[in-house]
Amino acid sequence: MDEEFFRENGKGIAAPSLVDLCVHVAIDNIRYLGDVGETDFDFLEQILPHCTKDQLMHIEKSTKGRDLSPVTDKLWKKFYEKDFGIDRTNVVIERMRKKKVNFRWLQLYQAKLREVDEAENEAADRLKNSYKKEDARKQSRQVRICEKVPPSSNKRGWGGGGNYNVSNTKSNLLKKAKLDYLKSPEVRNAAVMKRTAFQRSAPPMKKSNGFSGNQLGSSSNQSKPIERTFKPKKMPF
């Protein structure tokens, strides 16, 4: 038995009363309490201060047809001061005094929780949006590789005049490369060496002793057969 249930007097230690034992048992099993029914407020004032916020909320919701605020209202005020500060509690008291209204501290506590939740959600949304904007800014600053699409044939070329013929680009590059190759010193030297070797290997040309066709023609026209006149000898008969 706990010592708090014993009272010391001049003659010795007295045994706890039945009421004290009931209160002690209720406190030990407070997590199982629900509907307190018609329990006297004097007992509740000894038991309910040992509740947590969730336990006190559960007891108030479970107790049907009875208002426990005469006992729980001051308990919720303590929870309000503990969670939101004494200054905020005093502000609420002053506002109720000026407006001449009176709310239960359970209602004030629940309203403040909703306000805090909404503020936290708004702050989370703002933070999320700021992260999205920062990511978008970083993405926009990244270097991206893109393919440059040439204009169509019915538009003016990039140079300012004429059409841009994409099909001839490759052939023009190949022609230029071929010309550069043919004009290179190596190719020229190889061609010279090839011609020299061919001239050395070719047979010598024969000189013709005859006359040319004009000379032959002129000689044939000028030369005529030499005609000789023979005088016949007289025969001896």
Side-chain angles (χ1 to χ4, degrees), residues 3 23 32 52 74 78 90 96 109 181 195 216 232:
E3 294 182 358
V23 170
Y32 302 114
T52 63
K74 56 186 176 182
K78 290 181 179 179
N90 294 332
M96 288 192 297
Y109 187 90
Y181 173 74
R195 287 197 299 270
L216 291 174

Side-chain angles (χ1 to χ4, degrees), residues 44-45 47-51 53 56 69 71-80 105:
L44 295 178
E45 286 181 351
I47 298 171
L48 297 183
H50 297 275
C51 293
K53 289 177 291 187
L56 187 62
S69 60
V71 178
T72 61
D73 195 56
K74 56 186 176 182
L75 298 178
W76 283 112
K77 181 181 179 182
K78 290 181 179 179
F79 286 133
Y80 195 101
W105 283 100

Side-chain angles (χ1 to χ4, degrees), residues 98-156:
K98 289 182 179 180
K99 295 181 180 181
K100 296 179 181 181
V101 293
N102 190 20
F103 295 100
R104 293 172 55 188
W105 283 100
L106 173 59
Q107 297 173 338
L108 297 172
Y109 187 90
Q110 292 175 331
K112 188 62 178 179
L113 282 180
R114 289 192 295 268
E115 180 183 346
V116 171
D117 291 339
E118 292 176 358
E120 289 179 352
N121 292 333
E122 291 178 359
D125 292 338
R126 288 194 299 269
L127 184 61
K128 184 178 180 180
N129 292 331
S130 64
Y131 276 121
K132 287 183 178 180
K133 291 180 180 179
E134 182 65 18
D135 291 339
R137 186 183 67 83
K138 290 180 180 179
Q139 290 291 336
S140 63
R141 296 181 62 182
Q142 291 180 355
V143 178
R144 297 182 179 179
I145 301 175
C146 59
E147 296 181 357
K148 189 173 184 180
V149 181
S152 59
S153 59
N154 58 353
K155 296 182 180 179
R156 297 187 63 84

Side-chain angles (χ1 to χ4, degrees), residues 185-196:
E186 292 81 1
V187 176
R188 291 182 179 180
N189 294 336
V192 172
M193 293 176 66
K194 185 176 180 180
R195 287 197 299 270
T196 304

Side-chain angles (χ1 to χ4, degrees), residues 11-70:
K11 298 181 180 180
I13 299 176
S17 65
L18 183 60
V19 175
D20 293 335
L21 289 175
C22 292
V23 170
H24 178 72
V25 173
I27 293 173
D28 287 344
N29 298 276
I30 199 169
R31 61 184 179 276
Y32 302 114
L33 292 180
D35 187 355
V36 295
E38 298 296 330
T39 306
D40 192 88
F41 281 153
D42 293 335
F43 296 146
L44 295 178
E45 286 181 351
Q46 300 179 56
I47 298 171
L48 297 183
H50 297 275
C51 293
T52 63
K53 289 177 291 187
D54 295 335
Q55 292 170 352
L56 187 62
M57 183 75 70
H58 175 69
I59 291 173
E60 288 206 281
K61 289 182 177 180
S62 299
T63 303
K64 305 297 182 181
R66 188 180 183 188
D67 183 15
L68 301 180
S69 60

